Amino acid sequence: MPFKKEPPHTHGTIAKSAVVLVNLGTPDAPTRKAVRRYLKEFLSDPRVVEIPRAVWNLILKLVILPFRSGKSAQKYAMIWTREGSPLKVYTARQAAKLGELLGERGHEDVEVAMAMRYGSPALPQVLDELKARGIERIVVLPAYPQYSGTTTASIWDAVYAHYGQVRNIPELRLVKHYHDHEGYIEALADSVLAYWESHGRGEKLVMSFHGVPKRTLMLGDPYHCECHRTARLLAARLRLSPEQYVLTFQSRFGRAEWLQPYTAPTVQQLARDGVKRIDVMCPGFTSDCLETLEEINMEVRHDFESNGGQEYHYIPCLNDNPAWITGLAEIAEQHLIGWPTMMSPSQREARRKDAETAREHAARLGA
């Protein structure tokens, strides 16, 4: 198998490090054509849909794409901003601010880039661009706090597939999860407390995580357990009793049983039981997106209010909250340990001299 062409090698260059923040992805525009292209890539991933390929490809081509693309485009249009897709906008801000904070914390020569698993900027393209800029060490940091084979593992598939075509592979570190990381939990608590301070507090806090088929739990996927651990830690940080919060799962697709309890029916029942105000948040989403802004803040809001609920409050995702950028920096730093990103002036000078010596030696050899 032919390998990709390597960029020109320059002797004596100082190797740099990078953190790649990878989110799920989004269409390039809220149009039927763009959404169809995005859904085709997303739903063609065997990690996302574990159905025999021949059967699923027929369903996808003949049913899903023709009928779902237009409906999804209408929903995307409802949450689209002047800057573009909220998920892409917030992920870009997170990457930019993370790079700034790492620099302020003393990490030199560390670049932070944003990539998408599906759509653009495509992860393989970003990895190629980093190589062209002399990046020799890469931390791949998914935007998914809880690990799942349907999400995080798909990023690993893309990374491994890309480097399977590369001759000179950089040093890699892959962040599996941070569902119980103190910085992540603290950022979630900060967002909830700030919201309560400004808007008061509801009778029940609903923590809605993205759903996955129940069979993935039975087959050994830890996602369900990690969601529950996040919820328990956040509730403890907020000093909530078990009666004051509920964990649910949203975005069910297809006829198979998914992780329960489901968000919409739970919210409907809370309203019927006489709960007048609920606060709803999505801890598993680090950036607001279609599933939070349209599904949770519009559809589920309607479910609550149409069943007798009076006050429905949606607490935004972490987005570019300063507390979350600090948490991201702490997570990144754990995986940068051992790489020369923080050096004293004397160490940096020694490194510069070593690079200069390497260039001179290469030149004498005719390189």
Side-chain angles (χ1 to χ4, degrees), residues 218-273:
M218 300 298 102
L219 293 172
D221 196 302
Y223 178 74
H224 177 266
C225 300
E226 294 191 0
C227 290
H228 275 273
R229 179 161 175 77
T230 295
R232 288 197 304 272
L233 291 173
L234 177 57
R237 174 64 180 78
L238 295 172
R239 298 182 179 180
L240 298 178
S241 67
E243 295 75 29
Q244 292 176 304
Y245 75 97
V246 59
L247 180 155
T248 63
F249 295 95
Q250 65 184 82
S251 308
R252 181 187 175 195
F253 177 74
R255 297 181 179 179
E257 181 181 0
W258 281 41
L259 296 180
Q260 295 194 44
Y262 301 137
T263 299
T266 299
V267 164
Q268 293 168 9
Q269 189 60 51
L270 287 174
R272 289 194 290 267
D273 289 343

Side-chain angles (χ1 to χ4, degrees), residues 7 98 140 146 154 186 192 308:
L98 174 59
V140 179
Q146 296 78 25
S154 181
E186 189 63 29
V192 175

Side-chain angles (χ1 to χ4, degrees), residues 37-66:
R37 183 169 60 246
Y38 167 73
L39 287 178
K40 182 179 180 180
E41 181 183 7
F42 172 47
L43 295 176
S44 294
D45 188 343
R47 289 282 191 182
V48 175
V49 181
E50 294 185 57
I51 293 177
R53 290 296 91 187
V55 175
W56 176 244
N57 286 338
L58 281 175
I59 297 174
L60 181 62
K61 182 178 180 180
L62 300 179
V63 181
I64 304 298
L65 294 179

